[in-house]
Amino acid sequence: MTGTTGETWATDETWFPPCRPVSAPPLVLDADAVQLFCLPHAGAGASAYRDWPDALAPGIEVIPVQLPGRESRHREPARRSAAELVGELTGPLASRAGPDYALFGHSMGALLSYELAHALSALGKPPRHLFVSGLGGPHLPFVGPLLHEKTDAELITAVAAMEGTSAEVLAVPELVELLLPLLRADLTVWETYEPRPRASLRVPVPITALGGRQDPGVGLDRLGAWQELTSAGFRAEVFDGGHFYHHDAPDEVAAVVRRTLLEPSPVR
């Protein structure tokens, strides 16, 4: 694909690694399957979506995104700004995406998905739909403590309270030593994000915002504020659970994605 300044981008497969076991039988996808690029939350990698390809096939092809600094890219330094990550990922994603694709991001991944929707729309290749999960509208004033500035002990306590990292992992010092720098870098991405000017907040893409009813950091008012960031349709879907509600309700979340992308008249 050629960008607006004439540069040619090659697909970078490091961004889109296979996340299903090699021993698993190949997925059978519809010829017109919608691509769904999935971006992970802070501290996580592409494997956060390892169960999604089977759950959403054959109508949807799930393509997890692997960000630098984790899993198969653990030798690379983690990035510390949304602008840097989006700048690096826009080209490979634009090249990998077909004519019919959507974006899904949870927490930090939701922020990156929103900025990618802007960048890809500017290239004349907007996604069909944007799913943002576990994050309030990024144009709202930041609330809460700056976790990336906390001590290691304080950060571990905060992570444990979110219930997104198993107690078994947090009990192993060697794993915590590997996790903390990545988590701190990812939290910096979110906590130092500078919202767009008001005139350029909206994307020409329908948005579905998903969240947990008991998420202490993302109230329903902040989740609903995503409506202000689209010039197309909007819908909010709320589930029982906390910040990682989708771990407890995978079938319900998959049903929302499937209904939105595969029904004859998705939200517009």
Side-chain angles (χ1 to χ4, degrees):
M1 178 170 177
T2 302
T4 54
T5 59
E7 73 272 26
T8 300
W9 295 318
T11 300
D12 186 350
E13 296 297 339
T14 61
W15 291 98
F16 314 113
C19 67
R20 298 176 73 245
V22 175
S23 58
L27 281 177
V28 177
L29 296 169
D30 294 339
D32 58 350
V34 181
Q35 293 174 316
L36 181 65
F37 292 89
C38 298
L39 288 101
H41 57 275
S47 65
Y49 296 101
R50 61 183 173 273
D51 297 327
W52 286 43
D54 293 281
L56 292 173
I60 299 171
E61 178 190 8
V62 173
I63 305 174
V65 175
Q66 191 75 286
L67 301 176
R70 63 214 75 210
E71 296 180 354
S72 60
R73 304 183 68 180
H74 69 278
R75 295 185 183 277
E76 301 178 46
R79 310 305 190 251
R80 300 177 70 88
S81 81
E84 185 177 11
L85 278 168
V86 171
E88 292 182 22
L89 178 53
T90 297
L93 201 155
S95 183
R96 178 71 172 82
D100 194 7
Y101 76 98
L103 301 174
F104 185 104
H106 180 69
S107 200
M108 179 192 74
L111 171 66
L112 297 178
S113 295
Y114 165 69
E115 285 294 334
L116 283 165
H118 271 291
L120 292 160
S121 296
L123 296 175
K125 195 169 185 177
R128 184 216 283 201
H129 204 92
L130 173 60
F131 297 92
V132 290
S133 168
L135 188 73
H139 61 306
L140 299 177
F142 184 82
V143 295
L146 294 175
L147 295 180
H148 77 277
E149 296 181 349
K150 296 292 186 182
T151 66
D152 287 354
E154 291 170 333
L155 186 52
I156 291 171
T157 299
V159 170
M162 293 179 189
E163 301 182 345
T165 304
S166 70
E168 290 79 7
V169 169
L170 295 178
V172 180
E174 294 81 5
L175 294 179
V176 172
E177 185 178 355
L178 292 173
L179 175 63
L180 282 181
L182 170 61
L183 191 58
R184 199 178 295 280
D186 284 354
L187 289 169
T188 302
V189 168
W190 162 233
E191 294 175 352
T192 63
Y193 171 75
E194 296 185 4
R196 289 172 163 268
R198 181 164 295 277
S200 62
L201 284 174
R202 296 191 172 199
V203 289
V205 177
I207 292 178
T208 296
L210 306 93
R213 190 171 282 107
Q214 290 81 37
D215 187 339
V218 187
L220 300 186
D221 55 339
R222 296 185 73 86
L223 191 71
W226 280 100
Q227 185 169 7
E228 302 167 22
L229 304 186
T230 174
S231 58
F234 174 80
R235 177 183 293 156
E237 300 279 355
V238 182
F239 305 82
D240 286 331
H243 188 61
F244 292 96
Y245 69 91
H246 55 303
H247 292 174
D248 300 322
D251 294 339
E252 292 87 342
V253 174
V256 169
V257 173
R258 190 179 299 109
R259 181 174 67 244
T260 302
L261 294 181
L262 300 183
E263 284 188 354
S265 300
V267 176
R268 292 283 182 187

